[in-house]
Amino acid sequence: MRDQPEAERGAEADVFEHEIAVRWADCDPAEIAYTGRIPLWALDAIDAWWEARLDGTGWYQLNMDRNLGTPFVRMAIDFRSPITPRHRLICRTWPCRLGETSITFRVDGYQDGRLCFEGQFTSVFVTASEFTKARPPADLRAVVEAHLRPEDAG
Amino acid sequence: MRDQPEAERGAEADVFEHEIAVRWADCDPAEIAYTGRIPLWALDAIDAWWEARLDGTGWYQLNMDRNLGTPFVRMAIDFRSPITPRHRLICRTWPCRLGETSITFRVDGYQDGRLCFEGQFTSVFVTASEFTKARPPADLRAVVEAHLRPEDAG
Amino acid sequence: MRDQPEAERGAEADVFEHEIAVRWADCDPAEIAYTGRIPLWALDAIDAWWEARLDGTGWYQLNMDRNLGTPFVRMAIDFRSPITPRHRLICRTWPCRLGETSITFRVDGYQDGRLCFEGQFTSVFVTASEFTKARPPADLRAVVEAHLRPEDAG
Amino acid sequence: MRDQPEAERGAEADVFEHEIAVRWADCDPAEIAYTGRIPLWALDAIDAWWEARLDGTGWYQLNMDRNLGTPFVRMAIDFRSPITPRHRLICRTWPCRLGETSITFRVDGYQDGRLCFEGQFTSVFVTASEFTKARPPADLRAVVEAHLRPEDAG
């Protein structure tokens, strides 16, 4: 898994790309990736975003080591084009809204330059042990703010 | 898997209920069902709806035996309350919109009477072998029309 | 999910049957259930066995409420025949060996009377909070002993 | 996903390593990867082995483009140590037996240098469209023979 922070290249700078090897295991008898796999990949891309931005601290470490959870309250995905194992799936991933206790990510999936899906995923920050809403710590908020982009900026 | 066509009970008549046994396997370290499992369950509920309404013809048989596919173009889910293995998950499932070549399902998941998630799922009808949009056959359209309900009718 | 303790019928008495609705979602482009799905179903069948034998206490409740885990140390599965959505998959499930701190289950999967897979699954009992081996409590041991059968007794 | 053919380094030469980013999504409430995930990863490693050895031709391309399937007839896995998101999971993967119409792979999973699981996976070669046993084509057999190693050679 080679998750690359952005190449610095003008308008596309700062968008994290998470690469997925689509496999036989992911495909249904229509010979394309099963719809239900796609939300799983998009969530993995968001987990990988945190891991890349927080020096190796993904959801697992956030929960276990920092008592911070990010349960989802909404997801919406538009499926634009079928996904197959013929190409890697590149998930362009960025935070596009940060509230007091919530965050929205955009994840757009591409294969061979073609948009396959685009989605928005909103979660709230909680104290993991209590499962109660909480403001995220300052260092986390700073990291998100540094990478915040408009929703259509992918 | 006991998928029951509706009990006939006034306002709630005609809503198919798909029951899911939530398990240890479905839960993450937060001790609740992982978010990514929920779209999979909702899709299973829609597949089970077809199976119940078409006398055993679910997506597999529609594709294999009738050359009819229903790829998804959009899903949107609001997560209202955590899901655990403490109760069965009841997915109330109904078609709420039928276009010329598209259909939208609503799936609402309940545990112990509490709403856990609500979602809309839109797919298009295609000739499976060509993956090209097509009007659904008359018998299928008739079945859907007989069970169509408003989106908020669950 | 209607998990039935055994019908009492002579030689086949006492074998728990866990029923699975195989779906489109489970199939790969070969139009049969993907191999990787089968261990997941067999594990679900074992979880369902506990739930049925312990009045609703499956792995989740064992871990959360009784601080008892059962991590697996070995699985071996022979795949005999392809699995499809054409029939329900019946997983005949029983404990076939009980050691001081370990247990082996046999799970045999049938579709339409034909054997599709047979597997053995061994786990150890641990104190969940410590992840250290421990003898299972007496009530649990008694339940297993009451249902223990030879490995080839399915 | 950076799947590396072997570094050439004496005794360990020629063992393909498939790297997996274990995630929150893969873990259960015991805070380790769920047992049922492990066969899926091992199968992915075998699919990735083919892809690396056949210049991009994994199971999907073998089936779709060359009408060649490899359904599994047996898997056996020993679980040695829990898997967590704290380290990448390295799956050392090699063919250890090649029959007329069958092949056995060994897959050993390591985290941070510690053995987490070891497994054997046997499949048969079939003509995909017929699902009947067939000898593999010469080029495929040559690739396997060039990389065949003893079962305990990982």
Side-chain angles (χ1 to χ4, degrees):
Chain A
M1 192 76 52
R2 202 185 51 228
D3 287 324
Q4 299 279 41
E6 71 285 0
E8 298 297 333
R9 34 184 168 137
E12 298 198 20
D14 211 15
V15 170
F16 173 76
E17 299 193 343
H18 177 65
E19 183 180 311
I20 286 156
V22 179
R23 301 205 171 279
W24 171 262
D26 304 313
C27 294
D28 63 27
E31 300 173 11
I32 56 174
Y34 177 59
T35 305
R37 284 299 286 136
I38 298 171
L40 288 161
W41 284 328
L43 293 174
D44 277 355
I46 297 171
D47 188 4
W49 186 93
W50 286 110
E51 186 186 59
R53 294 310 189 198
L54 296 177
D55 297 318
T57 295
W59 286 338
Y60 186 84
Q61 292 83 2
L62 278 174
N63 274 267
M64 298 295 114
D65 304 340
R66 299 194 60 180
N67 195 23
L68 180 65
T70 58
F72 284 86
V73 294
R74 181 169 170 82
M75 67 164 63
I77 308 176
D78 289 284
F79 306 105
R80 300 294 187 201
S81 185
I83 295 169
T84 81
R86 301 273 182 206
H87 301 279
R88 292 306 194 228
L89 175 65
I90 309 300
C91 293
R92 296 176 61 78
T93 306
W94 68 97
C96 58
R97 239 182 346 261
L98 179 65
E100 280 299 295
T101 57
S102 71
I103 183 168
T104 298
F105 278 91
R106 176 75 176 257
V107 183
D108 288 2
Y110 289 86
Q111 281 200 308
D112 199 29
R114 197 180 49 183
L115 180 65
C116 296
F117 71 86
E118 44 191 326
Q120 301 84 33
F121 303 81
T122 302
S123 52
V124 291
F125 295 103
V126 302
T127 304
S129 54
E130 322 281 327
F131 216 80
T132 51
K133 261 194 216 180
R135 299 187 183 192
D139 67 319
L140 217 118
R141 173 168 289 274
V143 163
V144 174
E145 281 171 348
H147 297 286
L148 211 53
R149 292 161 58 86
E151 197 183 332
D152 59 353
Chain B
M1 190 77 51
R2 200 183 54 227
D3 287 323
Q4 300 279 42
E6 70 285 359
E8 299 297 335
R9 34 186 167 133
E12 299 197 21
D14 212 17
V15 171
F16 173 75
E17 298 192 345
H18 177 65
E19 184 180 310
I20 287 157
V22 179
R23 300 204 171 279
W24 172 262
D26 304 312
C27 294
D28 63 27
E31 302 173 8
I32 56 174
Y34 178 60
T35 305
R37 285 297 287 137
I38 298 172
L40 289 162
W41 284 328
L43 293 173
D44 277 355
I46 297 171
D47 188 2
W49 185 93
W50 286 110
E51 187 185 59
R53 295 309 189 200
L54 296 176
D55 297 319
T57 295
W59 285 338
Y60 186 85
Q61 292 82 4
L62 278 174
N63 274 268
M64 298 295 114
D65 304 339
R66 301 193 60 180
N67 196 24
L68 179 66
T70 58
F72 284 86
V73 294
R74 180 171 169 79
M75 68 164 65
I77 308 176
D78 289 284
F79 305 105
R80 299 297 187 198
S81 187
I83 294 170
T84 81
R86 303 270 181 206
H87 300 280
R88 293 308 195 225
L89 175 64
I90 308 300
C91 293
R92 296 176 62 79
T93 306
W94 67 99
C96 57
R97 234 170 6 250
L98 179 64
E100 279 300 293
T101 58
S102 72
I103 183 169
T104 299
F105 278 91
R106 174 76 177 256
V107 183
D108 288 1
Y110 289 86
Q111 281 200 308
D112 198 29
R114 199 180 48 182
L115 181 65
C116 296
F117 71 86
E118 44 191 327
Q120 300 85 36
F121 303 81
T122 301
S123 52
V124 291
F125 295 102
V126 302
T127 304
S129 55
E130 322 281 327
F131 214 80
T132 51
K133 262 193 214 183
R135 298 188 183 193
D139 66 320
L140 218 116
R141 173 168 289 276
V143 162
V144 174
E145 282 171 346
H147 296 285
L148 211 53
R149 292 161 57 85
E151 196 184 330
D152 59 353
Chain C
M1 191 76 52
R2 201 183 54 229
D3 287 323
Q4 299 279 39
E6 70 286 359
E8 299 297 334
R9 33 185 169 135
E12 299 198 21
D14 212 15
V15 171
F16 174 75
E17 298 192 344
H18 177 65
E19 184 180 310
I20 287 157
V22 180
R23 300 205 172 279
W24 171 262
D26 304 312
C27 294
D28 63 29
E31 301 173 11
I32 56 175
Y34 177 58
T35 305
R37 283 299 287 137
I38 299 172
L40 288 163
W41 285 328
L43 293 174
D44 277 356
I46 297 172
D47 188 3
W49 186 93
W50 286 110
E51 186 187 58
R53 295 309 190 200
L54 296 177
D55 297 319
T57 296
W59 285 338
Y60 186 84
Q61 292 82 3
L62 278 174
N63 274 268
M64 298 294 114
D65 304 340
R66 299 195 58 180
N67 196 24
L68 180 66
T70 59
F72 284 86
V73 294
R74 181 171 169 80
M75 69 164 62
I77 308 177
D78 289 285
F79 306 104
R80 301 294 187 200
S81 187
I83 294 169
T84 81
R86 301 274 182 205
H87 301 280
R88 292 308 194 226
L89 174 65
I90 309 299
C91 293
R92 297 176 62 77
T93 306
W94 68 99
C96 58
R97 239 179 351 259
L98 179 65
E100 279 299 294
T101 56
S102 72
I103 184 168
T104 299
F105 278 91
R106 175 75 176 258
V107 183
D108 289 2
Y110 289 86
Q111 281 199 309
D112 200 27
R114 198 179 49 181
L115 181 64
C116 296
F117 72 86
E118 43 191 328
Q120 300 84 34
F121 303 82
T122 301
S123 51
V124 291
F125 295 103
V126 302
T127 304
S129 54
E130 321 281 325
F131 215 79
T132 52
K133 262 194 216 181
R135 299 188 182 190
D139 66 320
L140 217 116
R141 174 169 289 275
V143 162
V144 173
E145 282 171 348
H147 297 286
L148 210 53
R149 294 161 57 86
E151 196 183 332
D152 60 352
Chain D
M1 191 78 53
R2 201 184 54 226
D3 287 324
Q4 299 280 40
E6 69 286 359
E8 299 296 334
R9 32 182 169 138
E12 300 199 17
D14 212 16
V15 170
F16 173 75
E17 298 192 344
H18 176 65
E19 183 180 311
I20 286 156
V22 179
R23 298 202 174 282
W24 171 263
D26 303 312
C27 294
D28 63 28
E31 301 172 10
I32 56 175
Y34 178 58
T35 305
R37 284 298 287 134
I38 299 172
L40 289 161
W41 285 327
L43 294 173
D44 277 356
I46 297 172
D47 189 2
W49 185 93
W50 286 110
E51 187 186 59
R53 294 309 190 200
L54 296 176
D55 297 319
T57 295
W59 285 339
Y60 185 85
Q61 292 83 3
L62 279 175
N63 274 267
M64 298 294 113
D65 304 340
R66 299 194 59 179
N67 196 24
L68 179 66
T70 59
F72 284 86
V73 295
R74 180 170 170 83
M75 69 164 63
I77 308 176
D78 289 284
F79 306 104
R80 300 297 186 196
S81 187
I83 294 168
T84 81
R86 301 272 182 204
H87 301 280
R88 292 308 196 226
L89 174 66
I90 309 299
C91 293
R92 295 176 63 78
T93 307
W94 67 99
C96 57
R97 237 177 355 256
L98 179 65
E100 280 300 293
T101 57
S102 72
I103 185 168
T104 299
F105 278 92
R106 175 76 176 255
V107 183
D108 289 1
Y110 288 86
Q111 281 200 309
D112 198 27
R114 198 179 49 181
L115 181 65
C116 296
F117 71 86
E118 43 191 329
Q120 301 84 36
F121 303 82
T122 302
S123 52
V124 291
F125 295 103
V126 303
T127 305
S129 55
E130 321 280 327
F131 215 80
T132 53
K133 261 192 215 182
R135 298 188 183 193
D139 67 320
L140 217 115
R141 173 169 288 274
V143 163
V144 174
E145 282 171 346
H147 297 286
L148 210 53
R149 292 161 58 85
E151 196 183 330
D152 58 354

